Amino acid sequence: MPLQPHSLSTSGASAAAAAAAIAPSGRPVRRRRAAGAAGSRSPRAGHVVLASFRSRPPAPAGLIRHRLLGCADLRRGLRTGERGFRGLPGRRVGAMGPLTARLLLQRGRPKSDRLGRIRSLDLSGLKLHSEHLDPKLLGRLKQLQELDLSNNQLDTLPANLGLAHLRVLRCANNQLADVSALCQFPQLEELSLEGNPFLTVSDNLKVSFLLPNLRKVNGKDASANCTQVESLNRELTSRVTAHWEKFMEALGPEKETQKAQADFVKSAVRDVRYGPESLSEFTQWRVRMISEELVASGGTQVHVASVPDKPPEAAAAHKPKARLVKRPDDTPLGLSAPKRVRASPAARREGSPGGSDSSQAALKLEPLHFLQCHSKNNSPKDLETQLWACAFEPAPEEGGSGATSQTVATCGGEAVCVIDCQTGIVLHKYKAPGEEFFSVAWTTLTVVTQAGHKKRWNVLAAAGLRGLVRLLHVRAGFCCGAIRAHKKAIATLCFSPTRETHLFTASYDKRIILWDIGVPNHDYEFQASQLLTLDAASIPLRLCPVPSCPDAYLLAGCEGGCCCWDVRLDQPQKRRACEVEFVFSEAPGRRVDGLAFVNEDVVASKGNSPGTICLWSWSQTWGGRGSRSSVAVVVLAWLQWSSTNLAYFSLSTCPDEAAVLCGDEEGNVWLYDVRQLLRQPPAQPAPTQAPTQVLRWPQPWALGQAVSKTMVNTVVADPTFSYLTALTDSNIVAIWRSRPHPGTPDTA
């Protein structure tokens, strides 16, 4: 039975207790997943994501380590029994038994009668256990450069295999739970660890630290992981050194030296923290190593450059361990009023307008609320939960064409919150212990009551690590259904803009599934059915039905590029491959981690070219496709964005205002007014356009400390651009309000 999240409905002062608020400072002003590294959006480790310090969403590295170790211990016990059974007389040992020199010669290349001449060895699919890897036997492979151990049952690698010249190692689809033994292969250049469910994003970062010559991990460039490790290593070294100085100052002269050194290592591992919780295993591992090195040198030297030198990259986010201040009445804390933030000078500046069109220059945004409503265990100390997605509730239909909603749903960690942007009150909070939510989406359904009356419901879908889609009836305050959509984590989901019950889910299993969630019955129960399965060559990260033909084509930004599927239901095939791949000439095959339509034709995408957001024409690109399966996009313009190499900053648009929005690794919000480009599309790609304005991070205060920098993973504005919501890597929901233009009365 799926987990049923409890709901917390609050209002007024009691609602404020559900969300602690942070007050921005009056001082001027300040990045990033991974997930992942995961991890893993994290994606970018939870997800953080293995290509950056984000937990992407990321690779779903949220498997709980202590539980998995229990499973590993059980397996080891079973294998001990198997080993004893194999040793009984009469037991037949085939290819799946212990390795022999004859078997190695048969599977080695080039063919030879001597083990010392083998350079490539394929031991895949032999059902090998760890104890079968005999170091004495494998140590005779003095020239071995390539070893394939994939599709076996290895839970660890022996620490003394003696393969000093190994350059390629494949260990996919095993049961590995630790990577420490890889340090014995210092020349390793390519490594495959896919399909080892017990490895986390932290393990991927350990790999990059232990193997300085590594070029590819799971078939992808490893440089991004190395950059993450380098940034983490520098920051952790700095923090451990500062902890050493503080520790030595407080150390009394009567302390024994050896005991003091042991106490320092313990205190450093306990107290030195940095980065998201999904990377805590890696950071504690490195803190222990750094502190032991510091002790060994007497506090005089620590080797910062323990990983290969790389070009300078953006530093990882600084996450101070501050607690949020609460007023005695436990109400949200504003700076000049209980529900409004007084902007710092830097926030009032709103960045430097740089766009050629000045129509957006008059837009004034003031920081309104900074909420800490996704805290684990409701702890005010939690500044580490990563927040990934938000969506404004559909406006009530009876409100007319100009109606808008000021209610926004946010997700991150194990919670989904529904917030009133004007008051900062958390209206509802849903928690699913053990879950990590990555995406939310709204739809409005027509239901028939028991009395026979038709009513319109706003239903919120939320999904994440567990592969479940939870359908939340917000107004009634409960979860009214769950769909077991995928076996792996769901990266994103979206509803069809024309069919209110049709829901697309995109997963780390490299599949997109179209569901019909149906209409709930009198008992508020859903009966979902699967309509289509779309296969992707890489993990889909963002989904966009094409506005001009939403029932015909679905566009997706993926780890390996931008793809399009035919989703027409009148076609016979219920499982379909990608129909068209869109190529960006600047960097074909690169990750597309931001994707949204600005209007019915113009697409904004990010990730295909560093430091820029691309605007391209769907109609012109599709019209020139012909019968090709790969087509270059017709670029209209490039928008200047952060130069960071970090990934999984989600891009959004506000079509009614012709606006493009994106956060960055420094806590800034980049805004672009592109209406001039939409009015007169250039014949040739326009020069790179500067942002219309950049909202600087206004440095909110938490218990006497300024939260100086954070990563803004997602920025979304309501359709009328009355409110702007930004989600961060540090458990902060930031809400700005658009101030009226001069001469316009303030009706808020």
Side-chain angles (χ1 to χ4, degrees), residues 340-641:
R340 181 167 301 192
V341 166
R342 173 166 50 87
S344 67
R348 288 198 183 101
R349 262 204 319 270
E350 298 171 13
S352 49
S356 58
D357 183 9
S358 62
S359 59
Q360 186 80 347
L363 179 63
K364 301 296 183 181
L365 290 158
E366 63 175 350
L368 194 61
H369 307 290
F370 289 77
L371 308 176
Q372 185 200 18
C373 50
H374 290 263
S375 300
K376 187 174 292 185
N377 300 321
N378 294 324
S379 171
K381 300 180 181 179
D382 183 359
L383 286 173
E384 295 183 347
T385 295
Q386 294 174 309
L387 310 183
W388 288 112
C390 62
F392 276 86
E393 184 177 11
E397 294 181 353
E398 61 270 17
S401 59
T404 186
S405 171
Q406 61 188 36
T407 304
V408 66
T410 61
C411 73
E414 62 183 17
V416 175
C417 294
V418 180
I419 304 168
D420 184 305
C421 290
Q422 182 177 5
T423 63
I425 292 175
V426 177
L427 303 172
H428 306 277
K429 184 174 182 178
Y430 303 87
K431 297 182 71 173
E435 179 64 278
E436 184 174 0
F437 288 105
F438 295 151
S439 186
V440 289
W442 292 92
T443 189
T444 304
L445 303 179
T446 301
V447 297
V448 180
T449 66
Q450 290 182 340
H453 301 298
K454 290 185 178 180
K455 295 184 65 176
R456 295 288 282 171
W457 269 14
N458 282 342
V459 174
L460 179 66
L465 181 66
R466 299 300 179 191
L468 290 172
V469 177
R470 290 174 170 84
L471 301 172
L472 309 176
H473 182 6
V474 174
R475 292 294 176 257
F478 63 88
C479 175
C480 52
I483 305 170
R484 188 166 293 279
H486 298 268
K487 292 183 179 180
K488 291 190 176 183
I490 296 174
T492 189
L493 46 76
C494 75
F495 280 97
S496 165
T498 57
R499 304 194 184 193
E500 58 190 27
T501 64
H502 285 194
L503 174 68
F504 292 96
T505 60
S507 171
Y508 288 98
D509 60 14
K510 300 179 183 178
R511 290 189 180 94
I512 301 169
I513 297 179
L514 173 60
W515 302 88
D516 188 340
I517 65 172
V519 178
N521 58 23
H522 298 322
D523 295 323
Y524 304 102
E525 295 173 340
F526 284 87
Q527 294 294 329
S529 59
Q530 185 173 330
L531 302 178
L532 287 177
T533 299
L534 311 176
D535 292 317
S538 58
I539 298 172
L541 305 173
R542 314 291 176 209
L543 298 179
C544 287
V546 177
S548 59
C549 45
D551 295 328
Y553 295 104
L554 177 73
L555 200 60
C558 305
E559 283 282 2
C562 186
C563 300
C564 181
W565 285 265
D566 185 335
V567 294
R568 288 175 290 183
L569 296 176
D570 56 359
Q571 305 297 314
Q573 301 87 355
K574 299 305 177 184
R575 184 158 190 166
R576 304 172 187 177
C578 168
E579 180 162 328
V580 182
E581 179 179 358
F582 295 105
V583 178
F584 299 84
S585 58
E586 293 290 326
R590 286 180 61 102
R591 175 194 302 112
V592 174
D593 58 4
L595 189 70
F597 277 84
V598 184
N599 59 18
E600 286 201 348
D601 179 52
V602 178
V603 189
S605 61
K606 181 183 72 66
N608 34 60
S609 183
T612 58
I613 294 171
C614 179
L615 296 183
W616 52 282
S617 170
W618 159 265
S619 60
Q620 295 181 50
T621 302
W622 190 258
R625 174 207 169 195
S627 59
R628 291 174 293 170
S629 60
S630 178
V631 58
V633 301
V634 177
V635 177
L636 302 177
W638 297 95
L639 307 179
Q640 176 191 349
W641 184 65

Side-chain angles (χ1 to χ4, degrees), residues 198-444:
F198 303 147
L199 294 182
T200 67
V201 175
S202 290
D203 292 307
N204 283 278
L205 295 180
K206 288 182 183 179
V207 164
S208 296
F209 179 82
L210 295 170
L211 303 173
N213 293 325
L214 200 62
R215 295 186 296 105
K216 287 187 177 182
V217 177
N218 299 332
K220 297 182 180 181
D221 187 1
S223 60
N225 267 18
C226 291
T227 299
Q228 286 180 297
V229 171
E230 194 171 314
S231 296
L232 286 169
N233 195 54
R234 289 196 186 98
E235 183 65 26
L236 290 173
T237 300
S238 173
R239 295 189 177 210
V240 172
T241 303
H243 187 74
W244 168 269
E245 295 172 354
K246 184 177 179 180
F247 181 87
M248 295 305 293
E249 287 178 2
L251 187 65
E254 69 281 358
K255 277 277 190 179
E256 296 180 7
T257 303
Q258 290 185 347
K259 186 176 186 306
Q261 292 174 347
D263 289 345
F264 166 71
V265 174
K266 291 180 181 178
S267 67
V269 173
R270 182 184 66 246
D271 298 334
V272 176
R273 291 286 184 269
Y274 181 66
E277 186 178 357
S278 56
L279 300 182
S280 60
E281 184 186 347
F282 172 80
T283 55
Q284 290 182 15
W285 178 74
R286 278 298 295 141
V287 164
R288 180 176 294 278
M289 295 174 66
I290 294 169
S291 57
E292 289 175 348
E293 182 181 355
L294 192 63
V295 166
S297 66
T300 60
Q301 178 178 345
V302 176
H303 297 289
V304 178
S306 299
V307 291
D309 291 335
K310 300 279 191 244
E313 304 290 348
H318 176 68
K319 302 191 180 201
K321 292 303 220 177
R323 292 176 295 171
L324 302 183
V325 177
K326 292 186 179 181
R327 289 184 172 183
D329 60 355
D330 204 30
T331 58
L333 178 63
L335 287 185
S336 58
K339 297 172 184 175
R340 181 167 301 192
V341 166
R342 173 166 50 87
S344 67
R348 288 198 183 101
R349 262 204 319 270
E350 298 171 13
S352 49
S356 58
D357 183 9
S358 62
S359 59
Q360 186 80 347
L363 179 63
K364 301 296 183 181
L365 290 158
E366 63 175 350
L368 194 61
H369 307 290
F370 289 77
L371 308 176
Q372 185 200 18
C373 50
H374 290 263
S375 300
K376 187 174 292 185
N377 300 321
N378 294 324
S379 171
K381 300 180 181 179
D382 183 359
L383 286 173
E384 295 183 347
T385 295
Q386 294 174 309
L387 310 183
W388 288 112
C390 62
F392 276 86
E393 184 177 11
E397 294 181 353
E398 61 270 17
S401 59
T404 186
S405 171
Q406 61 188 36
T407 304
V408 66
T410 61
C411 73
E414 62 183 17
V416 175
C417 294
V418 180
I419 304 168
D420 184 305
C421 290
Q422 182 177 5
T423 63
I425 292 175
V426 177
L427 303 172
H428 306 277
K429 184 174 182 178
Y430 303 87
K431 297 182 71 173
E435 179 64 278
E436 184 174 0
F437 288 105
F438 295 151
S439 186
V440 289
W442 292 92
T443 189
T444 304

